[in-house]
Amino acid sequence: MRILLTNDDGIHAEGLASLERIARTLSDDVWVVAPETDQSGYAHSLSISEPLRLRKIGDRHYAVRGTPTDCVIMGARKILPGLPDLILSGVNSGANIADDVTYSGTVAGAMEGTLLGVRSIAISQAYSYVGEDRFVPYETTEVLAPALLKKLVAMPLPEGVLLNVNFPNCAPDEIEGTVVTSQGKLVHSLWVDERRDGRGLPYYWLRFGREPAEGKAGTDLHAMRNRLVSVTPLHLDLTAYEIRDQLTKALA
């Protein structure tokens, strides 16, 4: 099985090294094509206004000055000798759940793989802060992901479906189980933080200020809060089928 790895945290991210160790429990034919720099929040974007720069950093290890989507396309269309059998995107530093899925470059890597017709799985690890330092328990993903991935790879998936896997912020022996979930709902809380540069001119940062959100049973949010590994099937078809008839009547 040929496996292509990517992420949105960048080629030197600790989570990518963790993902490579996980992938090598499944196959020896592992390729890494990841962004040169952090691409968190770039979602499913393409670089079409500037060229992609490719740098080989080791055997079957490449950095692309571009987005996770660019990396998957470069890997599948240019670098690898053929299409991979599996694309793994991650391990992201932080959970990608609920509405954050739409912002995630990690999930977008799996989306692009799905568009290419390749089985694709996004993997993320929730974290906490110890003082002012972020602590990401990648050990949890490394211990539990190999067995889970073997099960997920063995099962058939419909066309246009990818899997979004999230590991909760706890030690491996504190995990309560694995559940299939639906996408939860967060309260939108991105804020604009205005600052001034050395000349007194304004500039802005987008700032996260999460508000408490209801984690209904069966959602990825609920799973994370209850120390459950979340596996969410996502599909590329964004059509809201439930209101098509209503729209048809309104336009008649």
Side-chain angles (χ1 to χ4, degrees):
M1 180 168 57
R2 178 176 296 141
I3 305 176
L4 171 61
L5 308 183
T6 194
N7 71 349
D8 71 357
D9 291 326
I11 188 69
H12 299 298
E14 183 180 352
L16 185 60
S18 179
L19 184 63
E20 184 171 359
R21 291 190 290 270
I22 293 167
R24 292 194 180 280
T25 68
L26 305 175
S27 172
D28 293 327
D29 193 359
V30 177
W31 298 70
V32 177
V33 184
E36 185 81 61
T37 60
D38 189 344
Q39 299 289 299
S40 298
Y42 277 67
H44 198 194
S45 59
L46 288 165
S47 298
I48 56 175
S49 298
E50 56 187 40
L52 299 176
R53 303 292 183 182
L54 179 67
R55 182 169 67 94
K56 184 174 183 179
I57 61 174
D59 184 35
R60 299 186 182 183
H61 288 67
Y62 296 83
V64 175
R65 187 165 292 277
T67 68
T69 299
D70 297 330
C71 292
V72 170
I73 295 171
M74 285 290 288
R77 298 297 194 197
K78 178 67 178 178
I79 300 171
L80 274 65
L83 281 178
D85 302 298
L86 175 67
I87 292 175
L88 300 177
S89 185
V91 174
N92 191 67
S93 173
N96 278 305
I97 55 177
D99 305 285
D100 286 347
V101 165
T102 62
Y103 298 119
S104 170
T106 299
V107 174
M111 291 176 69
E112 190 62 30
T114 303
L115 283 171
L116 289 168
V118 179
R119 179 186 297 266
S120 300
I121 303 172
I123 303 174
S124 303
Q125 173 64 60
Y127 64 78
S128 60
Y129 279 92
V130 179
E132 295 184 354
D133 298 323
R134 179 185 295 190
F135 175 72
V136 188
Y138 288 114
E139 179 192 7
T140 300
T141 302
E142 281 202 49
V143 169
L144 300 175
L148 176 59
L149 286 175
K150 288 175 183 176
K151 293 179 181 179
L152 297 178
V153 169
M155 66 166 288
L157 280 181
E159 183 179 352
V161 172
L162 60 135
L163 299 177
N164 184 32
V165 180
N166 283 273
F167 291 85
N169 176 35
C170 62
D173 58 1
E174 295 175 329
I175 294 291
E176 296 292 336
T178 300
V179 291
V180 177
T181 60
S182 59
Q183 191 178 337
K185 176 65 179 174
L186 289 168
V187 177
H188 189 277
S189 54
L190 278 170
W191 303 94
V192 179
D193 186 3
E194 180 176 343
R195 303 183 186 184
R196 298 281 169 171
D197 65 17
R199 295 181 295 167
L201 300 175
Y203 68 97
Y204 306 90
W205 281 103
L206 291 181
R207 179 171 60 84
F208 286 100
R210 290 295 184 209
E211 298 179 14
E214 182 182 356
K216 294 182 179 179
T219 65
D220 47 15
L221 276 169
H222 184 269
M224 290 296 96
R225 292 174 181 173
N226 289 274
R227 296 184 173 182
L228 294 164
V229 179
S230 169
V231 181
T232 311
L234 303 175
H235 56 71
L236 299 177
D237 184 354
L238 302 180
T239 306
Y241 289 99
E242 65 274 13
I243 70 162
R244 286 199 307 172
D245 291 343
Q246 183 180 346
L247 279 172
T248 299
K249 292 177 182 178
L251 297 176

